[in-house]
């Protein structure tokens, strides 16, 4: 028996274009139950990254595909990383041979490093109601005249879409200069794709410019709403403020929800005019009668998928507002200045109300993959015995 353990060096989350490194260790363990141990042989082992796509049959109508043989012959030495997986493989990297003819003595182990750039032309990891995109690193191993054994290590990919051009000259430093660093080190830093992408991501999501909105219904102005930006990273807080003192219509209650919209492209919809799938990721509810101002804070979870578009589906983000307003003025309680007795004020038993909603589109971008690794459902490690 040979034990194979694969462990990703820096965690299970990567940015597209980043180099993925995985340590793969092959061990011939010594069992305390065996009286005589022998050497073990492996004919070959290789590794490959692939993205598996799965669509919901009730929501997505894909073009007919030809039937594919998914059976691995015992004598076949071709690695099929998606063998036994649901859906179809939409992206894969060329396989890399780790070794050929490996012999391990009892108690001996050998470690190999697999390194590959995560493709930039693929979709991000996503588990939606209509489609799923799942990335896996597959290691294939085979003994002589034996079937191929597959070890899969799932991981998450973040894709940075729609980044604007740099608003600064190319020779301008993005981060504050450090006098204790050598110039060569600083220049090497600017050549790293991951750090350049993270610098641009930080600049794009750090810009603040107040956006003011007048909240009105058919009866008049309800409030003024202010939000300081509409582009956020995973893990950031969406913060907004309401000023009800500038409104003419009394607002009894409001709620703000952070939602994602998953829309199947028209040519792939199962039914004409198919509804968009909406998923909530947090909600703030507050009563605000006789309140001059209020604010809310909604965190963008680290484990959600930033907005993206493929040929089949589009994912967008928005803030969904709901307001409950009174049709008639509601008088505020009056407390006399020199009143010594305790005054108890109770709300009206019956109030005629109107309700209305409003959606504000926002943009959600990725974050540092190291930060996202802390809440990932994947461990970046897996093992198999062959």
């Amino acid at each position: 028996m040979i034990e194979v353990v694969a462990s990703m060096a820096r965690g299970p989350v990567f940015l597209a274009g980043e180099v993925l490194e995985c340590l793969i260790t092959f061990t011939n363990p010594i069992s305390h139950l065996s009286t005589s141990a022998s050497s073990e042989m492996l004919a070959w082992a290789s590794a490959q990254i692939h993205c598996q796509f799965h669509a919901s049959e009730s929501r997505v109508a894909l073009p007919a595909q030809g039937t594919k043989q998914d059976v691995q012959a015992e004598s076949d030495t071709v690695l099929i990383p998606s063998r036994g997986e649901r859906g179809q493989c939409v992206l894969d990297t060329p396989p890399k041979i780790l070794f050929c003819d490996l012999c391990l003595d009892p108690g001996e182990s050998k470690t190999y490093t697999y390194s590959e750039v995560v493709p930039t032309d693929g979709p991000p990891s996503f588990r939606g109601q209509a489609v799923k995109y799942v990335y896996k690193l597959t290691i294939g191993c085979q003994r002589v005249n034996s079937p191929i054994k597959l070890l899969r290590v799932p991981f998450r990919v973040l894709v940075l879409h729609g980044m604007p051009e740099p608003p600064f000259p190319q020779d301008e430093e993005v981060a504050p200069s450090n006098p204790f660093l050598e110039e060569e080190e600083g220049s090497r830093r600017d050549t790293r794709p991951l750090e350049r992408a993270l610098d641009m991501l930080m600049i794009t999501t750090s810009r603040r410019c107040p956006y003011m909105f007048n909240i009105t219904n058919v009866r008049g102005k309800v409030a003024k709403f202010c939000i300081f930006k509409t582009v956020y990273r995973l893990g950031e807080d969406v913060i907004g403020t309401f000023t009800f003192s500038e409104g003419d219509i009394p607002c009894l209650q409001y709620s703000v929800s952070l939602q994602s919209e998953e829309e199947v492209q028209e040519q792939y919809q199962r039914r004409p005019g198919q509804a968009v799938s909406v998923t909530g990721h947090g909600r703030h509810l507050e009563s605000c009668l006789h309140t001059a101002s209020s604010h809310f804070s909604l965190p963008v979870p680290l484990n959600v998928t930033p907005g993206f578009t493929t040929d089949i589906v589009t994912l967008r983000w928005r803030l969904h507002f709901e307001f409950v307003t009174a049709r008639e003025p509601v008088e505020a309680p009056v407390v006399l200045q020199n009143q010594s007795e305790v005054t108890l004020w109770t709300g009206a038993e019956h109030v005629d109300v109107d309700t209305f909603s409003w959606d504000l589109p926002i943009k959600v971008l990725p974050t540092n993959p190291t930060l996202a690794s802390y809440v990932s459902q994947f461990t970046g490690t897996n093992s198999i015995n062959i």
Side-chain angles (χ1 to χ4, degrees), residues 32 52 77 88 102 109 132 140 144 150 156 161 166 170 178 222 250 275 278-279 295 307 320 323 335 339 371:
H32 65 280
Q52 204 71 13
T77 59
Q88 54 183 292
L102 175 66
S109 65
K132 296 180 181 179
V144 178
L150 300 179
R156 182 185 178 193
H161 280 305
Q170 292 297 324
N178 190 334
V222 177
V278 178
T279 304
H295 76 281
H320 179 71
F323 300 92
V335 180
Q339 185 173 356
L371 182 62

Side-chain angles (χ1 to χ4, degrees), residues 284-324:
H284 177 92
L285 175 66
E286 188 167 333
S287 298
C288 54
L289 180 60
H290 305 312
T291 300
S293 62
S294 179
H295 76 281
F296 69 90
S297 178
L298 288 173
V300 182
L302 283 169
N303 58 353
V304 300
T305 302
F308 72 95
T309 298
T310 65
D311 295 338
I312 298 176
V313 70
T314 295
L315 184 72
R316 294 184 296 265
W317 286 85
R318 72 183 187 185
L319 292 175
H320 179 71
F321 299 83
E322 294 181 357
F323 300 92
V324 179

Side-chain angles (χ1 to χ4, degrees), residues 51-70:
C51 177
Q52 204 71 13
F53 166 74
H54 176 71
S56 170
E57 295 183 357
S58 62
R59 298 173 182 268
V60 182
L62 295 176
Q65 298 267 343
T67 59
K68 295 184 179 180
Q69 190 72 15
D70 195 28

Side-chain angles (χ1 to χ4, degrees), residues 133-168:
Y133 294 101
V134 181
Y135 280 83
K136 296 182 180 180
L137 168 62
T138 300
I139 298 103
C141 311
Q142 186 178 31
R143 294 176 181 268
V144 178
N145 296 327
S146 298
I148 294 176
K149 299 293 185 179
L150 300 179
L151 170 61
R152 294 189 174 97
V153 185
F155 61 97
R156 182 185 178 193
V157 173
L158 301 174
V159 178
L160 205 53
H161 280 305
M163 290 298 293
E165 293 296 326
F168 50 84

Side-chain angles (χ1 to χ4, degrees), residues 138-286:
T138 300
I139 298 103
C141 311
Q142 186 178 31
R143 294 176 181 268
V144 178
N145 296 327
S146 298
I148 294 176
K149 299 293 185 179
L150 300 179
L151 170 61
R152 294 189 174 97
V153 185
F155 61 97
R156 182 185 178 193
V157 173
L158 301 174
V159 178
L160 205 53
H161 280 305
M163 290 298 293
E165 293 296 326
F168 50 84
Q170 292 297 324
D171 56 353
E172 181 180 338
E173 288 288 341
V174 176
S177 60
N178 190 334
F180 300 101
L181 295 178
E182 296 181 359
E183 293 184 1
E184 292 78 10
E185 184 177 351
S187 62
R188 284 199 305 270
R189 174 184 174 279
D190 290 340
T191 61
R192 299 173 184 172
L194 174 61
E195 295 194 8
R196 290 204 308 270
L198 293 179
D199 286 340
M200 285 302 307
L201 181 63
M202 184 66 69
I203 288 177
T204 304
T205 57
S206 296
R207 293 176 182 154
R208 293 180 177 270
C209 178
Y211 295 88
M212 309 296 295
F213 300 91
N214 288 322
I215 310 298
T216 62
N217 62 6
V218 294
R219 298 178 182 275
K221 184 176 179 180
V222 177
K224 178 180 286 186
F225 173 66
C226 175
I227 192 170
F228 294 97
K229 61 178 186 175
T230 58
V231 182
Y232 300 88
R233 299 188 307 273
L234 297 182
E236 275 195 295
D237 291 337
V238 180
I239 300 175
T241 62
F242 293 96
T243 304
F244 295 103
S245 59
E246 299 186 14
D248 305 319
I249 308 300
C251 185
L252 306 180
Q253 180 180 279
Y254 75 89
S255 68
V256 187
S257 302
L258 178 64
Q259 298 178 343
S260 60
E261 299 176 301
E262 181 185 357
E263 182 179 9
V264 179
Q265 306 292 4
E266 185 176 356
Q267 63 269 30
Y268 293 106
Q269 292 181 2
R270 177 64 65 179
R271 300 175 301 278
Q274 185 171 300
V276 176
S277 300
V278 178
T279 304
H281 303 276
R283 185 168 182 255
H284 177 92
L285 175 66
E286 188 167 333

